[in-house]
Amino acid sequence: MSTKYVFVLGGVTSSLGKGIISASLAKLLQARGLSVTIQKFDPYINVDPGTLNPYEHGECYVTEDGAETDLDLGHYERFLNVFTSKANNITTGRIYRSVIDKEREGAYLGKTVQVIPHITDEIKRRMLLLGKTGKYDVIITELGGTVGDIESLPFVEAVRQLQWELPDEDCLVIHLTLVPYLSAAKELKTKPTQHSVRMLQQNGVHPDIIVCRTEHPLPADIRRKVALFCNVRPNAVIESIDARSIYEVPLLMVKEKLDEIVLKKFCLPELDKLPELDKWKAFLGRLFNPKESVNIALVGKYVELQDSYKSILESFIHAGAENECKVNVITVHSEYVNEANVAEKLSGMDGILVAPGFGERGIEGKITAVKYARENKIPFLGICLGMQMAVIEYARNILGLDDAMTTEIKPNAKNPVIDLMEDQKSMTIKGGTMRLGAYACKITEGTLAHKIYGETAISERHRHRYEVNDVYVEMLEKGGMYATGKNSETGLVEIMEIPEHPFFIGVQFHPELKSTPERPHPLFVALVKASMEYKNR
């Protein structure tokens, strides 16, 4: 069987949920026994999102092989339970860099290098790359941005060419648009969808399926109208109504028969099977029927944009469902936390998570929040920078090292309990040069970390330049804070905990990147459980 290609494009507005639709379709095809992967093509010129401010683009998602990617790859992994890689996220910057490198090497034999065919050929090559591995039956490609964006034009042109070059039964285009409801007129409006599809068709791309994002159900006459004006069959006009949770969308797509339409187009025999979604439905059952609730503070400095901590928020959903508990995540801006107001901001919390981040802003607020959690015996989890702030707080307030600091903020700190990794000291280029991707960690037996994981050898994903300074580890342990997890090869500290505290653990890695509905991360499960016990004590 030849590899099948699905292209998902968006129109009218961004943030309609192309990633969720792509992931939901992939989940349904996977649930019918097909091997599926999803890739994201982003039209911005950054080579990857690693250097982007979280306010600009949300969180930077890191894959097992150390690629800094778009946050949609997190959705792909959470829905499919399958790891993605650097091949799953391509940007305009990466495309142009590749073409320019080839031009410098003389690969184009002196020809004038142009958007068509050279840029579009490189885009097409990348779009088909995963399909040539022989690992996948279906490749779903999501295009970032919206049709009509000047940045997206080469990608849309590449899809146009592939729609003609690939066999008809191997290529399918889905267009996601908005059908807004005008409350004053009390009616749904299809004109934005008509204009969006017309613009797509003017670029030579013809959608096979139109998915309509809407807040209200689409009546049959609206569907017929969209079909008539947009040259698709009425059953190929799919309603994507607001759901209680993004994890409910695959079930809504089953009702809309999105997967059936795709399988018919591809002439695949899996049409005779029903999607196996028992585990997914069991997860949703626990999610929508919690037996209790807890309040957990998320202390960070990018809290205004929820996408900045997307994977953490999703991990709490997974862990909450596992514990049959609704987790109310209360965001607390660390820049505005101080000794005078910390009790007011964190009182009533059943657990506290201090989030990762970079830079000086909000650092002291995070340290103050750690101190409050430690002194008041509130369940605490520190992630990456959050763990480093826990070490600084302990060094200052328990070991008496008043000037303990990270060299990220104070390069000449007298007591640099957090310091730049040795191999980072000569780095001048920032993009893609951190400690990235999966690394092994050995956990000490009998510790809280061992109890949480149930094993001594684990692997977790990283994204950092700074680490706990080995010079201070012995002093910290004598004072009551222990390094209970270390990298198997380098000895770098991975996990710190305080045994005297009911639940106090900090990790250098990012556990949120590996949590899924069907495999909730044990650290988040344990934090939610500890928060429930704290609330009910």
Side-chain angles (χ1 to χ4, degrees):
M1 183 184 82
S2 57
T3 303
K4 311 297 183 182
Y5 296 90
V6 177
F7 298 96
V8 181
L9 298 83
V12 185
T13 179
S14 59
S15 300
L16 283 182
K18 293 191 299 295
I20 302 301
I21 289 296
S22 300
S24 297
L25 173 59
K27 180 69 183 175
L28 297 181
L29 296 178
Q30 183 193 60
R32 288 177 181 264
L34 292 166
S35 175
V36 189
T37 193
I38 319 174
Q39 53 189 357
K40 176 78 182 284
F41 280 66
D42 272 309
Y44 52 76
I45 298 175
N46 303 65
V47 172
D48 60 48
T51 55
L52 286 173
N53 186 316
Y55 284 132
E56 285 278 332
H57 200 67
E59 75 171 6
C60 175
Y61 189 82
V62 179
T63 59
E64 284 283 296
D65 62 351
E68 294 176 292
T69 69
D70 184 81
L71 61 81
D72 273 323
L73 268 73
H75 290 312
Y76 305 162
E77 290 200 6
R78 286 188 284 271
F79 275 64
L80 291 180
N81 265 322
V82 174
F83 292 153
T84 53
S85 70
K86 59 186 176 184
N88 292 74
N89 192 199
I90 305 296
T91 66
T92 292
R94 190 170 292 177
I95 296 290
Y96 271 80
R97 188 162 76 171
S98 178
V99 170
I100 290 168
D101 286 346
K102 286 180 183 176
E103 185 273 331
R104 292 291 82 189
E105 293 164 5
Y108 298 117
L109 304 175
K111 288 187 178 293
T112 303
V113 179
Q114 297 176 288
V115 173
I116 302 173
H118 302 99
I119 295 297
T120 51
D121 280 353
E122 180 63 16
I123 293 171
K124 288 191 296 181
R125 186 184 75 81
R126 301 280 186 131
M127 285 177 167
L128 301 177
L129 203 57
L130 285 170
K132 294 184 185 302
T133 64
K135 295 179 182 177
Y136 306 105
D137 300 316
V138 181
I139 310 286
I140 298 176
T141 302
E142 177 195 346
L143 265 58
T146 57
V147 172
D149 295 345
I150 193 167
E151 300 96 336
S152 299
L153 286 173
F155 294 95
V156 175
E157 169 60 19
V159 173
R160 182 194 71 79
Q161 293 179 24
L162 286 175
Q163 202 172 22
W164 288 105
E165 292 170 7
L166 291 170
D168 193 47
E169 67 276 9
D170 287 355
C171 180
L172 181 142
V173 174
I174 296 174
H175 191 50
L176 179 64
T177 71
L178 178 68
V179 177
Y181 180 79
L182 298 187
S183 54
K186 291 186 172 54
E187 61 180 326
L188 292 160
K189 290 295 184 182
T190 64
K191 195 63 72 177
T193 293
Q194 292 176 43
H195 283 303
S196 180
V197 173
R198 188 171 297 133
M199 190 175 295
L200 184 65
Q201 291 172 335
Q202 284 171 353
N203 286 310
V205 177
H206 303 281
D208 299 286
I209 298 171
I210 297 174
V211 178
C212 301
R213 281 287 281 118
T214 175
E215 296 176 352
H216 297 269
L218 291 182
D221 61 322
I222 292 286
R223 296 189 193 226
R224 284 194 297 270
K225 186 176 181 181
V226 170
L228 177 66
F229 281 95
C230 300
N231 293 330
V232 298
R233 297 189 181 282
N235 71 337
V237 178
I238 302 293
E239 171 190 288
S240 178
I241 200 164
D242 289 356
R244 290 176 290 176
S245 163
I246 59 171
Y247 300 112
E248 192 181 21
V249 176
L251 300 188
L252 297 179
M253 292 302 103
V254 167
K255 289 181 181 177
E256 290 291 306
K257 300 184 178 180
L258 175 62
D259 54 330
E260 288 187 26
I261 298 167
V262 171
L263 291 168
K264 282 179 183 174
K265 163 77 172 178
F266 288 154
C267 305
L268 290 174
E270 281 73 15
L271 189 59
D272 298 330
K273 302 177 184 176
L274 289 175
E276 176 52 62
L277 294 167
D278 289 348
K279 281 187 179 179
W280 199 260
K281 290 175 181 176
F283 159 72
L284 287 173
R286 293 191 301 272
L287 177 65
F288 294 142
N289 300 285
K291 293 178 179 176
E292 54 184 299
S293 66
V294 292
N295 296 326
I296 297 181
L298 171 58
V299 183
K301 64 178 184 177
Y302 309 116
V303 295
E304 294 93 336
L305 182 68
Q306 68 172 12
D307 277 357
S308 298
Y309 300 115
K310 190 64 178 173
S311 291
I312 291 175
L313 295 175
E314 296 304 314
S315 297
F316 275 128
I317 291 173
H318 311 154
E322 184 71 11
N323 284 288
E324 296 184 276
C325 174
K326 177 175 173 55
V327 180
N328 300 309
V329 179
I330 315 299
T331 55
V332 178
H333 202 308
S334 60
E335 193 174 3
Y336 307 120
V337 175
N338 53 52
E339 288 286 353
N341 65 19
V342 65
E344 176 193 344
K345 287 185 178 291
L346 296 179
S347 64
M349 295 299 119
D350 306 309
I352 295 172
L353 184 148
V354 175
F358 295 90
E360 184 175 4
R361 187 171 62 88
I363 285 283
E364 292 299 329
K366 288 187 176 184
I367 294 170
T368 303
V370 172
K371 182 184 177 187
Y372 184 84
R374 179 179 59 78
E375 291 182 342
N376 291 279
K377 307 293 185 185
I378 302 171
F380 169 83
L381 172 60
I383 296 177
C384 199
L385 183 68
M387 180 268 254
Q388 296 174 1
M389 296 304 99
V391 172
I392 292 172
E393 189 278 327
Y394 205 83
R396 286 183 184 179
N397 298 315
I398 300 299
L399 304 185
L401 305 176
D402 294 341
D403 51 1
M405 197 38 155
T406 168
T407 54
E408 179 182 2
I409 309 305
K410 194 175 180 182
N412 300 316
K414 185 178 176 184
N415 283 295
V417 293
I418 307 296
D419 198 9
L420 192 63
M421 296 170 62
E422 201 59 42
D423 63 352
Q424 293 286 321
K425 290 182 179 177
S426 60
M427 291 288 183
T428 55
I429 296 174
K430 297 299 183 187
T433 57
M434 287 184 279
R435 188 180 184 215
L436 293 164
Y439 287 86
C441 171
K442 186 175 182 181
I443 296 174
T444 306
E445 288 190 27
T447 59
L448 175 60
H450 183 220
K451 180 184 174 184
I452 290 170
Y453 279 96
E455 51 190 321
T456 56
I458 63 168
S459 172
E460 294 282 4
R461 299 181 196 175
H462 294 67
R463 185 177 185 246
H464 68 106
R465 296 183 194 280
Y466 294 81
E467 60 171 308
V468 176
N469 191 337
D470 278 344
V471 174
Y472 292 87
V473 171
E474 187 178 347
M475 192 185 305
L476 285 161
E477 293 193 334
K478 284 182 179 177
M481 176 180 261
Y482 292 85
T484 60
K486 292 187 176 182
N487 180 267
S488 309
E489 295 180 8
T490 62
L492 294 177
V493 173
E494 298 277 14
I495 305 173
M496 298 291 289
E497 58 184 76
I498 303 174
E500 290 186 3
H501 190 286
F503 189 97
F504 190 104
I505 188 166
V507 296
Q508 182 59 72
F509 45 80
H510 289 262
E512 71 275 17
L513 299 178
K514 291 181 75 170
S515 185
T516 72
E518 295 175 19
R519 284 201 307 261
H521 197 284
L523 271 169
F524 282 89
V525 173
L527 175 62
V528 172
K529 186 177 180 182
S531 300
M532 292 163 66
E533 291 170 355
Y534 177 84
K535 180 182 179 181
N536 297 323
R537 72 194 189 288

